[in-house]
Amino acid sequence: MLHSQQMPTKPTGRRGFLKTVALAATPLGTAAAQTPPKTTPAPSAPVASQPVTLPRSSMRYPRVYTGRQLAMLAMPLGGIAAGSISLGGRGQLRDWELFNRPDKGRSPEYAFASIWAQAGNRKPVAHVLEARLMPPYEGPDGLGSKNAPGLTRLEGATFTGEFPIAQIAFRDSRLPVNVSLDAFSPFIPLDADESGLPVAILRYRIHNPGKDAARVSIAWSIENPIGATYQDVAQHHPGEQRVIEYRESDQIKGLLMSNPGMPADDPQSGTLAVCLVKPEGKLTYLRGWTNAKWWTSPLLFWDDFSDDGQLGPEAPQRKPIGSLCLQQEIAPGTEAAYTFLLAWHFPNRTPAWSGWTAPKGDEHTIIGNHYCTRFAGAWQAAEYAAGKLPDLEARTRRFVAAMRDSTLPPAVRDAAMSTLSTLVTQTCFRTADGEFHGFEGSGDHNGCCFGNCTHVWNYETATQHLFPTLARSLRKAAFGFSEDDQGGLRFRQLLPDGKERFHYAAADGQMGQIMKAYLDWRLSGDTAWLRDLWPRIQRAVSFAWVAGGWDSQRRGVMDGVQHNTYDVEFYGPNPMCGIYYLGALRAAEEMARAVRDQQAAEDYRKLFASGSQWIDANLFNGRYYIQKVRGIPKDQIAPATVGDMGAENSEKPEYQVGDGCLLDQLMGQYIADVAGLGPLVDPAHIRETLQSIYRYNYKRQLYDHECVQRTYVLNDEAALVVCDYGTGKRPEVPFPYFAEAWTGLEYQAAATMMYAGLVREGVEAFENSRRRYDGERRNPWDEAECGHHYARAMSAWSGVLALSGFRYHAAEKSATIMPRVNIGVNKFVCFWSAAPAWGTFTHAADSGRRRVTLAVAEGNLPLRSIVLAPGPAATASATLNARSIPLAPPAPNHDVFTFADEIAIHAGEELVLLA
């Protein structure tokens, strides 16, 4: 994480510096006297445990918001890495972040839907199709005139949010009909392109409960936003240059907005389409409101629309505010749909405009957008989406239903699905070459902390399991030009790629990328890809051994200077970077075996075992793991390992953890759990450490919690704080963010608890976090850290992985299904995904036997074996689509199913196991 502000001036006093220590206390390979030698864990044997039964939570999924909870809602609509418009709680569109950078608060001067309704011969009514505005009602000119806040709106709304779909039920006693809105963009696991369309669908449903037929019109009015704030247009091209034209094609009818007065290469130059999909009824439109002084333009529009629910005729002189209207007659007791589709196309992404660092001279080079290479403009994108809408919507709803129907705790589902919205915000983008990139987060008007920052993106697990091609794109960057000649992974990528590297490597970022490369391979089974990457992975491991580096003595212990996610360097051995290193060694061992490099595998294994033993013997204090601060002369520190935000005196370093209980001290173990690498240190110590984190870092309220840093939680809210010094001496100048609370770390720690069997504690942490995002206090689809929509928070997906107990090893073609939770029922249902397929599984009791059903929704899942949690002995059987599948002789035991021949479960099929 990179702080966006200047670093504070450090105190000049010396009394609070941590005492530095030498590392000779225990020679490598020799356990401390009080700690017996431990057995090195098996490579990746699944850990079986009985599922924990949880009480029913007061939370519900999907979550429903109303009243004051509508105030902060803003669900992003748009494609992955394609920009977004957010749907507000009242039904309004807000935060138009289409123009190649974040743009919080940006909206056209006018952008609203309106409804006109007449039942029988009664007097028609017309309102803006939003719930009423909410306090505060103040500003330099009151609420102003933007979006006509003085026009009548609906009495209220109820917002149901389950990203990527939102549903709003409007209510108004003056309307003779009932109105609801379904809003979404296609979002389909494993299909990054179809999930990356630059579109938003707004489908209004009108139900007529009366005895008379009702005529109902819905109109969308939008100011052409292209160049509306572009100052040079007025200076160099006098007169209004924005254009709105009406178009029709087979699937859509609507308005196309552009601005030929802008330079063709400007980052804000492009097109926007406002369409109706297969409209039935009377369609009318305005290519602009009447051009007039004062507020005459919106007045005349409203007079026109509210008169008969139709638009026109057009004025000869028009303002660039277009309106598209559809009127239908709805019989009593029936329903009609009005499907609006917004599409956009802005191809000129540049590093400088978005906030990404570029090589010198390339700040304004167009790096483009992948979605723009697929379509010539917004109209073509709209045509494509409309033509495939039934299929795209069905696939999206299938994914949403899979999570809704799961029996996972509501808070885990809510956190996992809500944080996926980060992928469709300007935090993420794909350049014209198709490669995926991510900021850490989004500032209000620029990206925050560029470069696919490895020490932040390591925490999230969503891309690897839902969009593995995007995850492998991140690995391509990390092990590509960003890797220097010695193997250092410069943890921020400059764009355009291939010209200049970032200044230094991050120890945690580098080790995590090695582990993630293993997970990419495990999920995909693509050994050819791994073999091609293997020399670079080996070089990345060996970078730890360079002179003055992280483990220069090649002892399995990181005792050097380690830059990390806290934007400083940790001096000396510490659990976060040290256990990360152990995870990288284990991952390297497994990858070496996969590419048949047996000697390398044995070497990595020995180093791992030695380092694991040393950390348990020397850093575990009986409750948790601590740092042993070690001063190091500057001339003994390897180049490209130190930044400029940490300690200035390397021999008496400030900004250390010391004896604190660090929330993500088991970060390496967390990724190891997700990847199936087994315990990296003593399992008993892992569990005790997690219990200590729950005991010390967990604050049930924060009235008395002191934090002079950034404040993310406060008052009556509960949270896990980054570091607690309740049982250890806090250095006078500890590392920068120690008293803060970040959801990305909370989810990571909670998932690690779940993997270790502390399920109740982990679920509680998820619940505490999501209760803070209730719509009144914070937007549920924007978990901030250093910027909005922070990537680290997608670690929430790990809650699904941990509790489901589902793992797939594509190279072995094996699956493991060991759920860790029940919620008062004997049937567990959950979503699963791997690189080749996704679907759902059910784990239930059936007449004293276990019945496991594995269904594939999309893709094909090859299988040779399935492992279940140990259960009572019983005759085992398997069927695929009701067809018996022979099991390999000799007869399997009651928890391992090995098939006589490899099988494949295709989309729409299910495998049933009985044991």
Side-chain angles (χ1 to χ4, degrees):
M1 175 167 127
L2 186 65
H3 199 299
S4 58
Q5 304 297 323
Q6 292 292 320
M7 299 304 294
T9 303
K10 64 177 183 176
T12 56
R14 291 290 186 240
R15 69 183 187 280
F17 276 106
L18 286 170
K19 180 181 179 181
T20 57
V21 298
L23 291 182
T26 306
L28 190 66
T30 303
Q34 71 274 20
T35 306
K38 70 180 186 66
T39 303
T40 302
S44 53
V47 179
S49 60
Q50 289 299 315
V52 174
T53 299
L54 296 176
R56 291 194 178 275
S57 170
S58 60
M59 294 188 70
R60 294 290 179 264
Y61 184 81
R63 291 176 77 178
V64 178
Y65 308 87
T66 192
R68 293 168 60 179
Q69 293 177 321
L70 301 177
M72 298 289 290
L73 300 187
M75 178 187 283
L77 303 173
I80 291 176
S84 64
I85 306 171
S86 290
L87 178 68
R90 299 183 296 104
Q92 81 279 25
L93 294 183
R94 51 177 290 184
D95 301 332
W96 289 58
E97 301 181 86
L98 310 177
F99 307 98
N100 293 308
R101 71 176 186 184
D103 256 328
K104 291 301 175 193
R106 179 168 180 170
S107 177
E109 184 174 3
Y110 293 97
F112 62 86
S114 48
I115 184 169
W116 178 95
Q118 182 181 34
N121 295 320
R122 280 173 278 178
K123 182 179 179 180
V125 295
H127 304 288
V128 173
L129 215 176
E130 302 171 0
R132 291 170 179 163
L133 277 73
M134 305 173 70
Y137 304 138
E138 64 178 9
D141 52 356
L143 290 179
S145 61
K146 185 176 180 179
N147 250 1
L151 286 178
T152 61
R153 283 163 166 79
L154 306 185
E155 293 170 354
T158 299
F159 190 114
T160 301
E162 49 181 339
F163 182 84
I165 297 176
Q167 184 178 70
I168 301 179
F170 296 100
R171 59 182 183 276
D172 193 286
S173 59
R174 300 162 297 177
L175 280 176
V177 294
N178 299 324
V179 187
S180 64
L181 167 65
D182 281 359
F184 67 95
S185 298
F187 196 96
I188 305 152
L190 310 186
D191 197 337
D193 277 355
E194 297 293 68
S195 301
L197 299 176
V199 301
I201 292 91
L202 305 171
R203 180 180 294 117
Y204 296 90
R205 298 187 185 277
I206 309 295
H207 177 256
N208 180 7
K211 297 180 180 180
D212 298 320
R215 282 192 301 152
V216 180
S217 300
I218 296 179
W220 254 104
S221 299
I222 297 177
E223 178 200 23
N224 182 340
I226 303 166
T229 59
Y230 188 71
Q231 300 301 319
D232 288 344
V233 170
Q235 296 173 13
H236 298 100
H237 301 274
E240 180 58 67
Q241 299 291 309
R242 289 177 286 174
V243 173
I244 302 176
E245 56 182 297
Y246 177 75
R247 287 191 176 187
E248 294 186 0
S249 62
D250 290 343
Q251 301 290 330
I252 55 176
K253 298 179 180 181
L255 305 175
L256 180 65
M257 301 182 179
S258 62
N259 190 339
M262 294 185 70
D265 60 354
D266 190 275
Q268 298 185 83
S269 180
T271 53
L272 174 73
V274 184
C275 313
L276 279 159
V277 179
K278 296 182 178 179
E280 296 182 1
K282 177 69 173 179
L283 187 152
T284 55
Y285 61 88
L286 297 174
R287 290 172 297 170
W289 291 358
T290 301
N291 189 8
K293 296 179 180 179
W294 295 95
W295 299 286
T296 306
S297 297
L299 176 66
L300 295 179
F301 160 75
W302 195 249
D303 286 347
D304 181 12
F305 177 72
S306 59
D307 178 48
D308 60 0
Q310 298 181 26
L311 302 176
E314 292 179 329
Q317 300 296 320
R318 300 185 290 269
K319 286 190 173 181
I321 305 167
S323 297
L324 184 66
C325 176
L326 179 64
Q327 185 175 92
Q328 299 188 71
E329 183 163 318
I330 306 172
T334 64
E335 183 178 276
Y338 301 63
T339 303
F340 289 84
L341 188 154
L342 305 184
W344 52 90
H345 187 273
F346 295 95
N348 301 323
R349 177 179 293 275
T350 67
W353 174 256
S354 65
W356 197 278
T357 298
K360 187 175 181 179
D362 278 317
E363 293 85 355
H364 301 287
T365 297
I366 293 175
I367 54 179
N369 288 306
H370 173 65
Y371 78 85
C372 292
T373 67
R374 300 182 60 196
F375 308 107
W379 190 262
Q380 290 75 18
E383 286 182 311
Y384 179 88
K388 300 191 70 175
L389 187 56
D391 179 62
L392 294 170
E393 182 173 1
R395 295 171 70 194
T396 299
R397 290 188 180 277
R398 192 178 300 133
F399 170 51
V400 171
M403 189 59 73
R404 185 193 309 126
D405 296 341
S406 168
T407 56
L408 287 168
V412 174
R413 286 180 279 166
D414 183 50
M417 295 295 278
S418 297
T419 53
L420 290 180
S421 63
T422 297
L423 293 171
V424 309
T425 70
Q426 289 285 354
T427 293
C428 305
F429 61 95
R430 294 176 72 182
T431 41
D433 57 8
E435 300 300 337
F436 180 74
H437 307 277
F439 290 95
E440 294 182 24
S442 295
D444 283 349
H445 302 292
N446 63 312
C448 183
C449 313
F450 76 100
N452 321 328
C453 177
T454 57
H455 63 58
V456 168
W457 278 85
N458 278 348
Y459 287 72
E460 68 88 18
T461 54
T463 55
Q464 293 193 276
H465 289 85
L466 294 179
F467 300 101
T469 57
L470 303 185
R472 283 169 59 167
S473 179
L474 293 175
R475 235 62 66 217
K476 180 180 178 181
F479 292 100
F481 183 77
S482 292
E483 183 174 5
D484 64 31
D485 294 339
Q486 287 189 301
L489 305 186
R490 308 300 179 90
F491 67 94
R492 297 189 189 276
Q493 180 193 30
L494 279 66
L495 290 176
D497 192 33
K499 295 184 177 182
E500 185 179 326
R501 294 188 181 95
F502 192 62
H503 315 304
Y504 50 97
D508 55 348
Q510 181 142 338
M511 298 303 112
Q513 287 298 295
I514 294 167
M515 297 181 76
K516 290 213 157 193
Y518 168 72
L519 180 55
D520 289 340
W521 169 75
R522 180 180 172 123
L523 287 169
S524 69
D526 190 345
T527 303
W529 170 83
L530 177 61
R531 190 173 289 112
D532 183 61
L533 205 61
W534 180 236
R536 289 183 167 272
I537 293 172
Q538 283 190 293
R539 193 167 62 187
V541 175
S542 67
F543 180 76
W545 310 328
V546 301
W550 301 323
D551 179 19
S552 59
Q553 298 182 59
R554 199 166 175 172
R555 310 186 313 164
V557 179
M558 277 198 173
D559 56 13
V561 180
Q562 304 143 62
H563 186 82
N564 60 74
T565 199
Y566 295 109
D567 296 328
V568 294
E569 289 74 41
F570 288 166
Y571 286 72
N574 64 87
M576 186 181 75
C577 296
I579 297 176
Y580 242 138
Y581 181 31
L582 298 181
L585 292 170
R586 275 286 296 115
E589 175 197 347
E590 293 297 315
M591 289 185 282
R593 297 187 194 282
V595 298
R596 302 185 185 281
D597 190 343
Q598 190 61 31
Q599 185 58 56
E602 292 175 4
D603 291 344
Y604 293 136
R605 183 65 183 188
K606 289 176 183 177
L607 200 58
F608 158 76
S610 182
S612 176
Q613 186 178 36
W614 192 96
I615 286 178
D616 271 323
N618 290 274
L619 300 188
F620 188 71
N621 69 1
R623 298 180 300 274
Y624 55 86
Y625 293 91
I626 61 171
Q627 178 193 15
K628 291 196 172 183
V629 181
R630 174 193 176 209
I632 303 174
K634 285 188 176 181
D635 61 2
Q636 296 180 23
I637 301 173
T641 59
V642 180
D644 58 2
M645 298 173 71
E648 294 181 5
N649 185 342
S650 65
E651 298 186 48
K652 293 183 178 179
E654 298 172 314
Y655 306 118
Q656 304 300 296
V657 174
D659 291 338
C661 184
L662 187 64
L663 185 56
D664 58 346
Q665 62 186 278
L666 294 175
M667 179 61 195
Q669 184 60 57
Y670 158 75
I671 301 180
D673 287 337
V674 171
L677 287 168
L680 303 179
V681 288
D682 189 327
H685 291 176
I686 293 172
R687 188 176 177 89
E688 180 61 35
T689 296
L690 292 167
Q691 289 173 329
S692 294
I693 287 172
Y694 183 78
R695 185 180 306 122
Y696 304 131
N697 298 65
Y698 181 20
K699 312 299 179 185
R700 288 168 172 78
Q701 50 81 16
L702 292 153
Y703 291 113
D704 301 315
H705 178 67
E706 297 177 343
C707 175
V708 299
Q709 300 134 44
R710 300 163 304 179
T711 300
Y712 299 100
V713 294
L714 74 168
N715 296 340
D716 61 338
E717 297 176 326
L720 292 167
V721 298
V722 171
C723 189
D724 181 80
Y725 287 97
T727 61
K729 181 181 178 182
R730 197 207 81 186
E732 182 180 24
V733 183
F735 70 101
Y737 312 120
F738 74 95
E740 296 181 354
W742 308 342
T743 59
L745 263 64
E746 290 180 284
Y747 297 139
Q748 168 266 320
T752 312
M753 291 176 186
M754 295 168 180
Y755 277 113
L758 302 176
V759 172
R760 292 182 180 87
E761 293 84 345
V763 171
E764 185 178 3
F766 268 80
E767 288 188 349
N768 288 335
S769 175
R770 290 309 293 170
R771 288 186 195 282
R772 304 196 299 261
Y773 290 83
D774 63 356
E776 182 177 356
R777 302 183 185 212
R778 299 171 186 83
N779 176 17
W781 299 282
D782 180 6
E783 298 197 11
E785 193 183 308
C786 187
H788 301 281
H789 311 293
Y790 202 72
R792 197 191 319 260
M794 287 190 288
S795 59
W797 192 257
S798 302
V800 175
L801 304 176
L803 293 183
S804 72
F806 182 92
R807 284 202 190 103
Y808 181 68
H809 196 311
E812 296 177 355
K813 299 180 181 177
S814 64
T816 299
I817 301 177
M818 295 185 181
R820 291 181 171 85
V821 64
N822 285 322
I823 304 183
V825 294
N826 237 0
K827 181 179 179 181
F828 181 80
V829 182
C830 196
F831 171 90
W832 63 267
S833 62
W838 68 271
T840 59
F841 74 87
T842 301
H843 193 287
D846 185 354
S847 302
R849 304 172 71 192
R850 289 170 299 164
R851 181 184 180 92
V852 176
T853 302
L854 182 61
V856 171
E858 293 200 13
N860 300 300
L861 187 71
L863 278 175
R864 291 176 184 154
S865 65
I866 293 184
V867 180
L868 306 180
T875 302
S877 65
T879 59
L880 179 59
N881 270 14
R883 187 181 73 254
S884 180
I885 300 296
L887 300 170
N893 64 30
H894 52 276
D895 54 13
V896 178
F897 291 74
T898 302
F899 304 108
D901 298 300
E902 180 181 314
I903 66 170
I905 313 174
H906 302 288
E909 297 181 343
E910 63 179 31
L911 175 73
V912 178
L913 310 175
L914 282 172

